[in-house]
């Protein structure tokens, strides 16, 4: 065993082995013998996913809680990638190890090898791409606005008007589809948005359109104006972050005991100096409202957001892959300190059952 930067331990075997993990498909109910727990993984690009990996690895090692034991995982954009990996059985510590390119556990490494996406560099978007003709408002958007005028959000509507993205990411989830096909893991919801009207769709939730897991992940990650929208069942979808960077409020009716929200795009405390200060404050404030909905239902919410060190490591470009190792390290350290200072986090693992190796 050796300790990676940030304190992540590299071991010969995954702590809980490979295989699918998770609780009930739609959150916990009274029939479960342990307190029910939801995990929300937000948007944030490559550096946002690295932040999530660092946080989750710290919760696994320092709080002795395995993210695979969450009863329900909600993933948006980058969080959908992390959530899918966890639900097919990859330990958080192996996700962290893979970021450094070092040896993982045998079980986790084998799983990652089967689902690892095409990691060829993505082209940097040009401001000139936004100078292409924008789309006129669709009939679906107009109709939705007429039916629900108080729910109209100019920021969401604007995303539906952006020129169609040109970077095709459809092949990046080919390996995941080869592994799981049309099977959907229990306890995983993935948030995307319909391109024609910006409405949120939660794949995996009862009553939502059926979709292959790989297609839902791609749809949740399809940044408007940059990536080509993903078609599922004849309908085009794009990034779930269009509606919300976290979408934690989709858990409102699940009546979970505890929800952990990992929000990569906000800032701890809300205020953060720098060019991205307003964006991070806006995401933080929206998360405040989502958390208020959950707390009104009696749910305890633990929010984990980047502090100064993690934000510095993340930088301003969400797709900066070279920053990922430092982001994992900073996120791990910040979360380790939080676990030591927060009794609720420190007791997290004691209230959850150990995963069963697959």
């Amino acid at each position: 065993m050796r300790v990676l930067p940030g304190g992540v331990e590299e071991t010969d075997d995954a702590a809980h082995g490979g295989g699918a993990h998770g609780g009930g498909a739609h959150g916990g109910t009274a029939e479960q013998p342990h307190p029910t727990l939801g995990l929300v993984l937000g948007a944030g690009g490559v550096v946002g996913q690295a932040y999530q990996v660092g946080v989750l690895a710290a919760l696994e090692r320092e709080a002795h809680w395995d993210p695979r034991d969450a009863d329900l995982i909600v993933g948006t954009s980058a969080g959908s990638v992390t959530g899918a990996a966890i639900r097919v059985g990859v330990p958080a510590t192996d996700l962290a190890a893979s970021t450094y390119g070092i040896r993982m556990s045998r079980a986790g490494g084998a799983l990652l090898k089967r689902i690892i996406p095409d990691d060829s560099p993505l082209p940097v978007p040009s401001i000139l791409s936004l100078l292409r003709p924008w789309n006129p408002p669709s009939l679906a958007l107009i109709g939705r606005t007429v039916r629900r005028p108080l729910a109209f959000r100019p920021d969401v509507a604007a995303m539906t008007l952006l020129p169609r993205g040109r970077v095709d990411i459809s092949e990046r989830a080919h390996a995941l589809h080869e592994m799981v096909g049309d099977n959907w893991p229990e306890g995983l919801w993935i948030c995307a948005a319909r391109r024609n009207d910006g409405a949120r769709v939660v794949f995996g939730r009862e009553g939502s359109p059926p979709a292959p897991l790989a297609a839902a992940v791609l749809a949740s990650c399809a940044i408007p104006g940059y990536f080509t929208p993903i078609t599922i069942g004849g309908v085009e979808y794009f990034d779930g972050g269009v509606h919300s960077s976290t979408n934690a409020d989709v858990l409102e009716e699940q009546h979970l005991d505890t929800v952990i929200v990992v929000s990569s795009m906000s800032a701890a405390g809300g205020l953060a100096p720098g060019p991205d200060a307003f964006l991070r404050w806006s995401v933080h404030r929206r998360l405040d409202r989502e958390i208020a909905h959950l707390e009104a239902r009696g749910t305890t919410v633990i929010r984990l957001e980047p502090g100064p060190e993690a934000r510095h490591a993340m930088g301003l470009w969400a797709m900066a892959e070279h920053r990922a190792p430092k982001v994992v390290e900073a996120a791990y350290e910040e979360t380790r300190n939080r676990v030591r200072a927060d009794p609720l986090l420190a007791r997290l693992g004691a209230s959850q059952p150990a995963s069963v190796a697959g």
Side-chain angles (χ1 to χ4, degrees):
M1 176 185 296
R2 71 187 182 90
V3 180
L4 309 180
V8 181
E9 293 174 342
E10 178 191 15
T11 60
D12 291 331
D13 295 290
H16 299 275
H21 295 255
H26 303 291
T29 64
E31 68 187 31
Q32 293 181 325
H34 61 88
T36 53
L37 193 151
L39 174 63
V40 175
L41 302 170
V46 172
V47 297
Q49 187 183 6
Y51 176 77
Q52 295 165 9
V53 168
V55 168
L56 296 179
L59 292 180
E60 182 178 323
R61 289 298 185 197
E62 307 296 335
H64 309 293
W65 175 72
D66 191 327
R68 295 174 297 174
D69 288 330
D71 294 283
L72 183 55
I73 297 176
V74 176
T76 298
S77 198
S80 73
V81 179
T82 307
I86 291 170
R87 269 300 180 245
V88 299
V90 181
T93 45
D94 278 334
L95 290 173
S98 70
T99 302
Y100 286 95
I102 64 171
R103 185 165 56 91
M104 297 168 279
S105 72
R106 285 189 293 269
L111 278 171
L112 272 178
K113 185 178 291 186
R114 293 182 64 187
I115 66 172
I116 197 74
D118 169 20
D119 60 355
S120 57
L122 292 166
V124 177
S126 168
I127 191 66
L128 296 178
S129 65
L130 298 180
L131 300 181
R132 292 180 286 132
W134 286 39
N135 304 307
S138 68
L139 292 177
L141 176 62
I142 294 171
R144 185 166 180 258
T145 303
V146 171
R147 291 191 303 272
R148 303 178 59 198
L150 296 181
F152 176 74
R153 290 173 52 191
D155 55 334
V156 173
M159 293 297 101
T160 70
L161 308 182
L162 284 174
R164 184 184 183 85
R166 291 178 170 176
V167 178
D168 185 2
I169 58 172
S170 58
E171 288 301 311
R172 290 184 172 251
H174 178 74
L176 176 62
H177 186 67
E178 284 290 304
M179 177 179 173
V180 302
D182 291 333
N183 296 317
W184 190 278
E186 285 191 71
L188 176 63
W189 290 359
I190 292 179
C191 299
R194 283 199 304 257
R195 183 172 179 252
N196 62 356
D197 64 359
R200 178 171 64 189
V201 175
V202 185
F203 292 110
R205 183 169 66 177
E206 186 176 357
S208 294
L213 177 60
V217 170
L218 288 172
S220 188
C221 294
I223 301 172
Y226 181 28
F227 295 143
T228 304
I230 302 300
T231 301
I232 300 174
V235 177
E236 288 189 337
Y237 297 91
F238 55 27
D239 201 317
V242 165
H243 183 88
S244 164
S245 293
T246 47
N247 290 295
D249 58 315
V250 301
L251 293 176
E252 184 177 352
E253 300 299 327
Q254 299 307 302
H255 303 284
L256 297 166
D257 295 305
T258 304
V259 169
I260 300 171
V261 182
V262 184
S263 176
S264 306
M265 292 185 65
S266 56
L271 299 177
D276 59 348
F278 180 75
L279 171 63
R280 290 191 177 277
W281 176 82
S282 298
V283 174
H284 180 91
R285 289 292 296 155
R286 182 164 191 85
L287 180 56
D288 281 344
R289 296 192 292 272
E290 294 175 358
I291 288 175
H293 284 287
L294 295 175
E295 291 180 336
R297 299 290 182 138
T299 298
T300 298
V301 181
I302 301 171
R303 62 194 297 168
L304 295 163
E305 302 166 282
E309 293 301 319
R311 293 196 303 269
H312 176 74
M314 294 169 83
L316 298 176
W317 171 227
M319 309 304 288
E321 297 182 21
H322 68 282
R323 289 182 170 270
K326 289 295 185 183
V327 175
V328 172
E329 181 178 348
Y332 189 103
E333 292 293 339
E334 288 184 351
T335 307
R336 176 162 60 181
N337 292 337
R338 176 78 180 272
V339 168
R340 291 173 174 174
D342 187 337
L344 185 59
L345 271 177
R347 295 193 304 268
L348 195 60
S351 65
Q352 297 293 305
S355 294
V356 178

